[in-house]
C-alpha cells in the first residue's frame, strides 16, 4: 500500500506535494536542476528511487530537465494522460507512484525519447556522494 496522502503532505514541501501528489507542472525555466551539468544521479524527491543519470541529461530547450533514458526498469512507470485536452504519456516513480512529468517521442538518439521532468520532483546526488 502507498503512503497516506497526509503523510506525504508532512514530508514534502508544498511545491513538491503539488507536483508529485497532485500532478501539477512547475513553471518552465523555474527549476533548480534545469541547468545542472554535474555528474551524478537524479533521484525521486519523494522516495529517493534512482530515476535518471546525468549521462542521459540534455538541453531540450523546453524549460524542464530532460533525459533520453531512465536508469533502470525499476525507475519509472508510464501511462496515458488525457488531461488538459491533450493525449500525453505520464511518467511516474515506480516505487512511490509520484508524478514526475511526461515522456515524448521527439528526443535524441539512441532512444528518441524525451523525458520531460519537473525539477522539483527530483533530487540530485553527486557521483562522489
Ligand atoms: Fe518516488
Amino acid at each position: 500500500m502507498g503512503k497516506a496522502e497526509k503523510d506525504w503532505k508532512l514530508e514534502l514541501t508544498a511545491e513538491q506535494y503539488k507536483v508529485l501528489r497532485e500532478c501539477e507542472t512547475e513553471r518552465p525555466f523555474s527549476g533548480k536542476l534545469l541547468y545542472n551539468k554535474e555528474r551524478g544521479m537524479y533521484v525521486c524527491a519523494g522516495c529517493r528511487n534512482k530515476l535518471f543519470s546525468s549521462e542521459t541529461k540534455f538541453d531540450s530547450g523546453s524549460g524542464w530537465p530532460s533525459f533520453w533514458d531512465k536508469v533502470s526498469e525499476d525507475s519509472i512507470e508510464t501511462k496515458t494522460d488525457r488531461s488538459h485536452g491533450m493525449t500525453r504519456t505520464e511518467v511516474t516513480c515506480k516505487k512511490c507512484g509520484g508524478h514526475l512529468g511526461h515522456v515524448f517521442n521527439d528526443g535524441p538518439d539512441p532512444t528518441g525519447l524525451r523525458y520531460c521532468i519537473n525539477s522539483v520532483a527530483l533530487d540530485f546526488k553527486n557521483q562522489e556522494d
Side-chain angles (χ1 to χ4, degrees), residues 44 46-47 49 93 95-98:
C44 175
C47 75
N49 188 25
C93 172
K95 193 167 157 197
C96 75

Side-chain angles (χ1 to χ4, degrees), residues 68-126:
W68 49 260
D69 205 2
K70 61 197 172 191
V71 161
S72 79
E73 293 304 318
D74 296 324
S75 299
I76 59 149
E77 283 183 323
T78 58
K79 70 175 182 199
T80 301
D81 171 13
R82 299 187 195 283
S83 67
H84 303 289
M86 296 174 270
T87 300
R88 294 176 294 173
T89 303
E90 181 189 8
V91 179
T92 58
C93 172
K94 192 163 184 175
K95 193 167 157 197
C96 75
H99 172 81
L100 302 172
H102 293 86
V103 60
F104 302 93
N105 290 315
D106 57 6
D109 288 339
T111 62
L113 297 175
R114 171 171 61 94
Y115 288 93
C116 184
I117 304 298
N118 289 280
S119 177
V120 76
L122 301 172
D123 273 334
F124 179 73
K125 291 173 67 178
N126 275 78

Side-chain angles (χ1 to χ4, degrees), residues 2-122:
K3 191 180 297 202
E5 290 306 311
K6 65 176 169 58
D7 294 329
W8 282 120
K9 211 150 205 170
L10 291 171
E11 280 186 22
L12 301 173
T13 68
E15 288 71 28
Q16 288 171 336
Y17 186 85
K18 277 187 225 165
V19 171
L20 284 165
R21 309 310 309 176
E22 297 184 322
C23 304
E24 289 197 16
T25 300
E26 70 191 11
R27 282 178 298 107
F29 300 101
S30 71
K32 278 189 299 210
L33 294 170
L34 177 59
Y35 295 116
N36 182 37
K37 288 190 165 46
E38 288 182 56
R39 287 164 62 101
M41 184 67 64
Y42 293 84
V43 301
C44 175
C47 75
R48 320 300 294 169
N49 188 25
K50 290 178 181 174
L51 302 175
F52 302 101
S53 163
S54 60
E55 290 176 23
T56 66
K57 193 173 192 279
F58 70 101
D59 183 2
S60 68
S62 68
W64 292 281
S66 300
F67 306 87
W68 49 260
D69 205 2
K70 61 197 172 191
V71 161
S72 79
E73 293 304 318
D74 296 324
S75 299
I76 59 149
E77 283 183 323
T78 58
K79 70 175 182 199
T80 301
D81 171 13
R82 299 187 195 283
S83 67
H84 303 289
M86 296 174 270
T87 300
R88 294 176 294 173
T89 303
E90 181 189 8
V91 179
T92 58
C93 172
K94 192 163 184 175
K95 193 167 157 197
C96 75
H99 172 81
L100 302 172
H102 293 86
V103 60
F104 302 93
N105 290 315
D106 57 6
D109 288 339
T111 62
L113 297 175
R114 171 171 61 94
Y115 288 93
C116 184
I117 304 298
N118 289 280
S119 177
V120 76
L122 301 172

